Amino acid sequence: MTEWEFDRVAAPLRPPIVFDQHWRNVTFVHWPVEPATVAGLFPPGCRPDVVEGRTYVGLVPFQLLGVRIGRLGPIPYFGSFAETNIRLYSVDGAGRHGVVFCSLDTARLAIVPIARLLFGVPYTWSRMRVRQQAGGDWRYESRRRWPQRGLASTLTVGVGAPVEPTQLEQWLTARWGLHARIGGRTRWVPNAHGPWPLHEAEVVQLRDDLLAASGVVPAGDRLRALWSPGVRAQFGRPVTVAER
């Protein structure tokens, strides 16, 4: 096996479906990272996912729409909101690839304590705005309210033509789960979605405090940005990860 071998298509989720949602107007901005510098940020039982000696950190703002829990319909108020993630790339001893979140900023205060308690992910409450400007550029704005009040992120991208992802870009976007501490154990939460329709994106403006606040230090130049109109995503039941 080579380090590039990974699942380019999601495996079917075993029922029940825990969450069903749409990720819309997504921008991916990535930097390379030395794996040893972030190893301490991963929960027990998983480690940085590495390709050609590097791992990566992503700044990923988007809109989350039409959230459903189980077989329930879309949830009013909680079902649609903006979100900005700082994420790392993970793999566990069973070879399950995923992401580890350093932070998830959301505009919905009520989600923060629930998600932290039930799903082990570091949600924070922020004032957020996502809009398409008159010239067609997409602008994402976030200013944190709690915790670490005042941290801000502003990103504007110009969306270009559709592109075929490189091998590395496929590796960064074909992530079929997340690793998190839930109930005192490390769990892998599987997800499934269709292929990302990707466009090249020009970073017009980027002022960001969130990456530095995460403690992650890039080890090289920023990769080309990507934008997507989005996909429908579903999450399955968490799987316990062996920690030794």
Side-chain angles (χ1 to χ4, degrees):
M1 294 181 63
T2 70
E3 357 179 46
W4 280 114
E5 290 190 4
F6 62 99
D7 293 328
R8 289 168 172 77
V9 178
L13 295 177
R14 296 177 59 185
I17 301 300
V18 178
F19 286 103
D20 192 325
Q21 56 198 239
H22 294 265
W23 297 331
R24 291 288 181 257
N25 305 314
V26 184
T27 292
F28 298 94
V29 183
H30 284 98
W31 294 263
V33 176
E34 291 295 339
T37 66
V38 294
L41 300 177
F42 289 73
C46 67
R47 61 187 186 277
D49 204 358
V50 175
V51 64
E52 296 185 342
R54 290 285 182 90
T55 190
Y56 290 82
V57 61
L59 168 68
V60 186
F62 64 103
Q63 292 171 303
L64 197 153
L65 307 176
V67 176
R68 299 169 182 257
I69 297 178
R71 297 183 180 180
L72 299 177
I75 307 169
Y77 177 75
F78 295 108
S80 299
F81 49 90
E83 189 167 304
T84 295
N85 300 336
I86 299 293
R87 70 187 202 183
L88 297 168
Y89 294 88
S90 54
V91 64
D92 61 32
R96 293 175 292 235
H97 300 265
V99 300
V100 165
F101 291 110
C102 297
S103 64
L104 303 93
D105 284 62
T106 178
R108 293 290 187 259
L109 172 61
I111 290 175
V112 173
I114 295 171
R116 281 175 170 255
L117 177 64
L118 297 182
F119 307 111
V121 289
Y123 267 100
T124 63
W125 181 36
S126 298
R127 182 185 299 111
M128 307 189 75
R129 187 180 185 189
V130 178
R131 69 186 190 277
Q132 189 173 28
Q133 298 180 313
D137 293 352
W138 281 92
R139 185 174 177 85
Y140 308 85
E141 298 171 299
S142 174
R143 181 168 293 275
R144 193 168 293 176
R145 291 173 166 175
W146 182 91
Q148 294 179 295
R149 182 179 179 86
L151 294 180
S153 180
T154 301
L155 171 66
T156 304
V157 296
V159 178
V163 294
E164 287 296 320
T166 65
Q167 196 169 34
L168 174 57
E169 290 166 344
Q170 285 186 332
W171 186 87
L172 290 166
T173 57
R175 314 302 294 190
W176 311 121
L178 68 91
H179 289 99
R181 293 292 285 180
I182 304 173
R185 298 292 302 276
T186 301
R187 319 277 183 177
W188 181 74
V189 185
N191 72 55
H193 56 76
W196 286 101
L198 294 169
H199 294 246
E200 188 171 13
E202 177 188 1
V203 176
V204 177
Q205 181 186 30
L206 175 59
R207 296 197 308 267
D208 176 74
D209 300 326
L210 305 181
L211 178 58
S214 74
V216 178
V217 179
D221 295 336
R222 186 179 71 227
L223 307 185
R224 76 166 174 176
L226 297 170
W227 180 88
S228 176
V231 294
R232 177 188 178 186
Q234 295 181 316
F235 286 83
R237 183 164 41 191
V239 177
T240 300
V241 173
E243 298 184 12
R244 292 185 179 179

